[in-house]
């Protein structure tokens, strides 16, 4: 077969297989048996083997994942990716609708759509071929995540449209069933669970290893045809129907609504249907349907005025408070926890919730056997709101605080509102210390999560922090245990070995010194450069450090003058764990954030708050959790809340998300 003939056949076969995939993954209505698709793939692979030059990044054969990138390339959006303004109740939504009517001088139609809880992305095609997929980023610049997106089978790499450039925007999401399966797998390996589908989807797409995205069964919903007017469409609803025909998965729950009553009826309908959908939504999006009104309605700096996002209020459900149990943290802090009759809340099954302390329980008058209302704060953290008093039968058991540690039996000591077990040999405290030391923000020993730490402790393979670095002595014994293999043990031991090279601030945080969090660990490491120098400090030396008071100074001094801790550090030295600060020794005083106090509030597209905090501190700045007259800047993302309000009241400078990114780029010389 000649190359030209092979190329033609290859392209025809690709189109046919793309159509089969669309019917299977998007329409859920396959027109052929799986064997027909498989035979087509076999023929495609045969052609690729005979003519390797046919293979491109978008070839169907390349959608298997496995590529590991060093980092993501930046992509400048041809048209800014704006975010939507939010309203949080039906009164605010009605106010927005009426403002649109008032501005335009008449009533108009809206398209009502699901607000998918996913990662905003843009697909760009040229001459029918997928060129790239980019995240929203800061709205102007995103990340090229094409390699990962190619593993998502419902996203077409080839569309039947050869009129130049086509851009389609939407969300990458994780179905509820995929999240449940993923968290079950992570629980078995002792890895932290994903709090929600959005975090899981975003983490999968922004992972540098495309095989991760491949495994997680992601999907895409597409809801914005960028150049629809250019291509002859006058209504948003018609443009989405056109995307259907081009092979994109669009959400069929959308509806054109003609007045305020229909808008509110739609909101009520999907408030009730929300839990029955196979994917997470966190609200409803309304868009003026006719494009001709968009310019008249206009834009703010970051949001169109012709669209709005209605956010659902926190979902509250009823369940039984079956028991109150107690956990012991690494510092000995006793935390009461609610054992709940399992119930689904905001997309996940909830069976536990922290009750914080004795005062919290007594103030709410929570009793074992109560019917209680629970919700997820911010759709993430389960919390018990209150008991339903009228549902009490009289058999409920009033709460009584325990007086002894539930693990070692030591008498508890109350300090302020909290109770503590002070026994340093308490097994629960030891296990929590192992978990904390190995955690991502400390020594980052992948594979040494909660379950694994408990298992290895139970087998007496590890009993304190230094014993982690002797775990190789038990390799053969661990391999014989259920759930382990030669590869998984080797991976764990490699992660332990690699952790020896961490910089000092990670070790300091991992040691779990009371009152020394990540921030203070970095301050101490940058200032004194070695653990030995920190260990020599007197209380007077420590009190000279900014933000160190009597309590913190005493805690640090006592830790390094305790014989057990001195021996622990010596054992770590003997295992060749690094004790030195490996970061930059000096900070340029011309840096924008040098010696500035900042507060970060709201949600951000490009970086997490932890990443933003790390950057500011690396520039010599400080990040605080509260706004005061000493604050220099408050950096605000979406939904900043009361901290932005307070900053305005007392005259603190506010930096918008895009301004923060501009400062970073300028500092990097970009």
């Amino acid at each position: 077969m000649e190359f030209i003939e092979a190329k033609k056949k290859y392209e025809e076969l690709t189109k046919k297989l793309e159509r089969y995939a669309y019917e299977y993954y998007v329409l859920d209505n396959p027109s052929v048996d799986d064997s027909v698709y498989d035979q087509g793939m076999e023929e495609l692979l045969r052609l690729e083997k005979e003519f390797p030059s046919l293979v491109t990044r978008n070839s169907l054969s390349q959608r298997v994942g496995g590529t590991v990138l060093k980092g993501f390339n930046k992509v400048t959006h041809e048209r800014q990716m704006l975010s939507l303004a939010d309203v949080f109740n039906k009164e605010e939504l009605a106010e927005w609708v009426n403002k649109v009517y008032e501005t335009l001088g008449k009533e108009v139609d809206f398209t009502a759509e699901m607000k998918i809880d996913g990662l905003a992305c843009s697909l760009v095609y040229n001459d029918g071929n997928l060129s790239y997929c980019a995240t929203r980023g800061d709205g102007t610049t995103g990340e090229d995540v094409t390699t990962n997106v190619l593993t998502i089978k419902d996203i077409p790499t080839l569309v039947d449209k050869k009129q130049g450039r086509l851009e389609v925007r939407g969300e990458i999401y994780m179905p509820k069933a995929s999240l449940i399966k993923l968290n079950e797998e992570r629980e078995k390996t002792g890895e932290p669970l994903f709090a929600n589908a959005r975090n899981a989807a975003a983490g999968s797409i922004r992972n540098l290893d495309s095989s991760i995205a491949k495994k997680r069964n992601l999907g895409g919903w597409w809801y914005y045809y960028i150049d629809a007017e250019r291509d002859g469409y006058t209504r948003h609803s018609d443009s989405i129907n056109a995307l259907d025909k081009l092979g994109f998965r669009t959400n069929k729950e959308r509806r054109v609504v003609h007045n305020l009553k229909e808008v509110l009826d739609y909101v009520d309908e999907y408030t009730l249907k929300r839990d029955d959908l196979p994917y997470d939504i966190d609200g409803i999006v309304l868009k003026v349907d006719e494009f001709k009104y968009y310019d008249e309605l206009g834009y703010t700096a970051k949001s169109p005025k012709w669209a709005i996002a209605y956010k659902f209020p926190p979902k509250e459900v009823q369940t039984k408070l079956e028991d109150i149990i107690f956990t012991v943290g690494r510092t000995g802090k006793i935390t009461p926890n609610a054992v709940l009759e399992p119930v689904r809340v905001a997309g996940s099954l909830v069976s536990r919730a922290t009750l914080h302390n004795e005062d919290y329980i007594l103030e709410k008058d929570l009793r074992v056997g109560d019917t209680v209302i629970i919700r997820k704060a911010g759709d993430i953290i389960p919390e018990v709101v209150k008991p339903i008093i009228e549902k009490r039968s009289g058999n409920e058991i009033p709460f009584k605080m325990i007086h002894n540690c539930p693990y070692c039996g030591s008498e508890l000591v109350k300090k302020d509102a909290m109770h503590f077990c002070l026994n340093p040999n308490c097994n629960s405290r030891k296990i929590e210390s192992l978990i904390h030391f190995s955690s991502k923000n400390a020594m980052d020993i992948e594979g040494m999560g909660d379950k694994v730490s408990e298992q290895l402790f139970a087998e007496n393979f590890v009993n304190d922090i230094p014993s982690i670095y002797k775990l190789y002595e038990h390799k053969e014994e661990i391999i014989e245990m259920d759930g382990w293999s030669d590869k998984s043990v080797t991976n764990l031991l490699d992660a332990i070995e690699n952790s020896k090279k961490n910089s000092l601030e990670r070790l300091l945080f991992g040691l779990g010194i009371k009152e020394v969090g990540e921030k203070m660990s970095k301050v101490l490491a940058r200032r004194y450069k070695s653990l030995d120098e920190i260990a020599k400090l007197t209380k007077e030396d420590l009190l000279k450090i900014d933000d160190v008071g009597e309590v913190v100074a005493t805690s640090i001094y006592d830790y390094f003058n305790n014989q057990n801790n001195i021996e622990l550090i010596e054992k770590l030295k003997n295992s060749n764990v690094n004790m030195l600060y490996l970061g930059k020794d000096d900070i340029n005083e011309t840096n924008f954030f040098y010696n500035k106090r900042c507060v970060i509030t709201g949600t951000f597209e490009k970086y997490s708050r932890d990443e933003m905090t790390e950057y500011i501190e690396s520039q010599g700045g400080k990040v605080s959790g509260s706004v005061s007259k000493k604050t220099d800047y408050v950096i605000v993302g979406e939904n900043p809340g009361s901290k932005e309000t307070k900053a305005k009241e007392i005259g603190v400078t506010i930096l918008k998300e895009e301004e923060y990114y501009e400062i970073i780029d300028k500092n990097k010389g970009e």
Side-chain angles (χ1 to χ4, degrees):
M1 184 184 299
E2 297 294 331
F3 177 76
I4 294 176
E5 182 185 354
K7 186 173 186 292
K8 182 180 179 182
K9 185 174 182 180
Y10 185 82
E11 289 173 349
E12 290 173 350
L13 191 56
T14 297
K15 286 181 182 178
K16 187 184 295 184
L17 291 171
E18 284 271 19
R19 187 178 77 250
Y20 293 159
Y22 172 71
E23 292 169 345
Y24 186 91
Y25 293 107
V26 179
L27 301 181
D28 195 23
N29 185 27
S31 62
V32 298
D33 291 336
D34 289 351
S35 60
V36 176
Y37 183 89
D38 294 340
Q39 288 169 8
M41 276 300 297
E42 286 179 15
E43 176 64 9
L44 183 137
L45 293 172
R46 188 190 66 76
L47 287 171
E48 287 184 349
K49 187 174 182 180
E50 188 173 350
F51 301 96
S53 60
L54 292 173
V55 182
T56 68
R57 179 173 70 164
N58 292 352
S59 296
L60 294 178
S61 61
Q62 304 304 301
R63 302 186 75 163
V64 296
T67 302
V68 180
L69 304 175
K70 292 182 179 178
F72 293 112
N73 294 324
K74 290 185 177 180
V75 173
T76 300
H77 299 299
E78 190 168 296
R79 188 181 302 179
Q80 188 178 12
M81 283 187 76
L82 299 173
S83 55
L84 298 182
D86 295 324
V87 293
F88 297 93
N89 55 59
K90 288 195 283 189
E91 290 74 23
E92 290 178 346
L93 181 60
E95 184 180 331
W96 178 84
V97 169
N98 287 323
K99 189 172 182 180
V100 168
Y101 291 164
E102 183 183 337
T103 302
L104 298 177
K106 61 178 178 178
E107 292 190 1
V108 294
D109 293 341
F110 299 94
T111 301
E113 305 170 339
M114 302 292 93
K115 187 176 184 300
I116 306 297
D117 204 7
L119 178 69
C121 286
S122 175
L123 298 171
V124 175
Y125 295 78
N126 284 292
D127 296 326
N129 293 291
L130 178 64
S131 294
Y132 63 84
C133 177
T135 62
R136 187 208 309 266
D138 62 3
T140 301
T141 304
E143 293 175 319
D144 185 338
V145 292
T146 313
T147 301
N148 287 341
V149 166
L150 285 172
T151 68
I152 302 174
K153 293 181 178 179
D154 64 31
I155 295 177
T157 61
L158 187 68
V159 295
D160 188 19
K161 185 178 187 304
K162 297 189 177 180
Q163 300 175 8
R165 189 178 190 275
L166 169 69
E167 182 172 0
V168 179
R169 292 178 178 174
E171 304 275 328
I172 303 293
Y173 78 103
M174 177 175 284
K176 290 177 180 176
S178 298
L179 177 64
I180 292 170
K181 182 179 178 183
L182 174 60
N183 274 341
E184 286 174 351
E185 292 171 351
R186 292 174 72 86
E187 188 171 20
K188 288 177 184 176
T189 58
E191 296 176 272
L193 305 186
F194 283 110
N196 53 49
R198 187 196 184 281
N199 288 359
S204 304
I205 286 297
R206 300 189 69 214
N207 196 295
L208 295 174
D209 183 353
S210 64
S211 64
I212 300 297
K214 171 69 176 178
K215 293 175 184 175
R216 292 185 177 173
N217 192 29
L218 303 174
W221 292 116
W222 306 99
Y223 47 68
Y224 190 22
Y225 185 159
I226 288 292
D227 290 309
E229 278 191 281
R230 177 201 68 185
D231 293 343
Y233 299 98
T234 60
R235 288 178 173 266
H236 173 68
S237 54
D238 291 337
S239 74
I240 301 306
N241 293 336
L243 292 183
D244 273 333
K245 295 176 181 177
L246 285 169
F248 294 94
R249 172 182 268 178
T250 66
N251 195 287
K252 300 304 186 290
E253 307 295 334
R254 65 181 181 273
R255 184 183 307 162
V256 176
V257 288
H258 307 290
N259 52 52
L260 179 57
K261 180 181 183 304
E262 289 188 14
V263 168
L264 298 179
D265 286 347
Y266 184 89
V267 168
D268 288 341
E269 179 182 342
Y270 282 94
T271 299
L272 295 175
K273 286 183 177 179
R274 177 187 182 187
D275 288 342
D276 296 327
L277 296 171
Y279 47 85
D280 282 336
I281 61 171
D282 58 355
I284 301 296
V285 172
L286 276 185
K287 297 172 185 170
V288 172
D289 196 38
E290 291 186 78
F291 295 138
K292 66 182 180 182
Y293 298 123
Y294 285 13
D295 287 340
E296 187 175 348
L297 289 165
Y299 301 80
T300 68
K302 61 187 297 187
S303 306
K305 293 182 180 179
W306 41 263
I308 199 74
Y310 166 81
K311 299 293 287 289
F312 289 127
K315 178 73 173 177
E316 294 188 344
V317 300
Q318 295 182 20
T319 190
K320 281 282 187 183
L321 176 57
E322 296 182 334
D323 199 0
I324 295 175
I325 61 172
F326 300 87
T327 54
V328 184
R330 59 185 172 81
T331 62
K333 185 172 74 173
I334 306 295
T335 302
N337 297 274
V339 178
L340 304 165
E341 184 178 297
V343 63
R344 188 164 292 280
V345 189
S348 61
L349 200 64
V350 172
S351 58
R352 294 283 193 277
T354 179
L355 296 176
H356 304 292
N357 55 53
E358 178 185 23
D359 294 347
Y360 180 91
I361 299 171
L362 295 176
E363 182 181 330
K364 291 183 180 291
D365 188 24
L366 295 171
R367 304 180 184 185
V368 173
D370 269 336
T371 298
V372 294
I373 293 175
I374 66 168
R375 68 184 178 199
K376 282 188 178 179
D379 268 0
I380 296 175
I381 303 170
E383 65 175 351
V384 178
V385 180
K386 63 180 180 180
I388 302 177
I389 305 296
E390 54 270 26
K391 289 197 173 186
R392 283 182 174 164
S393 65
N395 296 321
E396 293 77 18
I397 304 171
F399 173 77
K400 289 186 178 180
M401 187 62 194
I402 58 175
H403 300 292
N404 297 89
C405 175
Y407 290 88
C408 70
S410 300
E411 187 174 348
L412 302 182
V413 174
K414 187 173 184 180
K415 182 178 180 182
D416 298 324
M418 307 306 300
H419 288 76
F420 291 87
C421 169
L422 301 183
N423 176 14
N425 294 314
C426 176
N427 283 350
S428 182
R429 291 186 63 181
K430 287 183 177 181
I431 293 171
E432 290 297 326
S433 294
L434 294 171
I435 293 169
H436 174 75
F437 184 84
S438 305
S439 65
K440 186 174 182 63
N441 292 342
M443 295 298 275
D444 193 18
I445 302 176
E446 189 172 354
M448 189 85 176
D450 298 19
K451 300 293 184 184
V452 169
S453 295
E454 291 171 5
Q455 183 185 28
L456 297 177
F457 185 89
E459 296 292 336
N460 203 32
F461 295 150
V462 292
N463 48 50
D464 58 12
I465 287 172
S467 64
I468 292 173
Y469 294 98
K470 299 293 183 183
L471 197 58
Y472 63 88
E473 296 175 356
H474 303 284
K475 179 177 180 178
E476 298 305 321
E477 296 167 88
I478 299 172
I479 291 173
E480 296 300 317
M481 292 166 56
D482 288 344
W484 290 90
S485 65
D486 185 274
K487 183 177 180 180
S488 60
V489 176
T490 299
N491 289 342
L492 174 59
L493 294 178
D494 286 346
I496 291 171
E497 187 65 25
N498 289 334
S499 74
K500 295 179 181 180
K501 304 170 188 175
N502 284 331
S503 186
L504 172 60
E505 66 274 15
R506 283 185 170 273
L507 175 61
L508 269 175
F509 180 55
L511 290 175
I513 305 168
K514 195 175 179 183
E515 308 295 342
V516 177
E518 285 184 79
K519 181 178 177 181
M520 183 53 63
S521 297
K522 291 173 184 175
V523 169
L524 292 170
R526 285 183 181 133
R527 182 161 182 160
Y528 296 103
K529 305 297 188 292
S530 80
L531 196 68
D532 286 343
E533 289 302 310
I534 295 171
K536 294 176 186 176
L537 298 175
T538 63
K539 284 187 187 179
E540 290 71 23
D541 294 329
L542 290 162
L543 287 168
K544 293 175 184 176
I545 302 171
D546 198 15
D547 292 335
V548 172
E550 184 69 33
V551 173
V552 178
T554 299
S555 179
I556 296 170
Y557 179 81
D558 288 350
Y559 182 90
F560 287 106
N561 286 275
N562 177 288
Q563 186 58 38
N564 290 331
N565 296 331
I566 292 171
E567 292 173 6
L568 181 152
I569 292 168
E570 194 60 34
K571 289 178 181 177
L572 291 177
K573 286 181 180 179
N574 292 336
S575 292
N576 297 317
V577 175
N578 175 62
M579 303 277 160
L580 303 176
Y581 177 58
L582 303 179
K584 294 180 180 178
D585 286 344
D586 58 337
I587 296 175
N588 191 333
E589 295 185 12
T590 64
N591 291 340
F592 183 89
F593 290 113
Y594 181 79
N595 211 26
K596 295 293 190 295
R597 292 177 181 267
C598 302
V599 172
I600 303 170
T601 181
T603 57
F604 299 84
E605 278 292 333
K606 194 170 181 180
Y607 300 109
S608 67
R609 288 198 201 180
D610 287 344
E611 290 172 323
M612 293 170 72
T613 298
E614 186 172 348
Y615 175 77
I616 292 168
E617 291 177 348
S618 74
Q619 301 297 296
K622 299 168 186 175
V623 177
S624 172
S626 58
V627 181
S628 70
K629 290 183 178 180
K630 292 183 179 180
T631 305
D632 294 292
Y633 299 108
V634 173
I635 304 167
V636 301
E638 290 189 48
N639 305 323
S642 60
K643 291 178 183 177
E644 181 183 34
T645 303
K646 184 172 182 181
K648 289 177 179 177
E649 288 174 354
I650 63 178
V652 174
T653 301
I654 293 173
L655 291 179
K656 297 292 186 182
E657 184 174 0
E658 52 270 24
E659 293 174 314
Y660 171 78
Y661 297 145
E662 286 173 8
I663 291 166
I664 293 178
D665 289 343
K666 186 176 180 181
N667 186 60
K668 292 178 179 177
E670 298 176 352

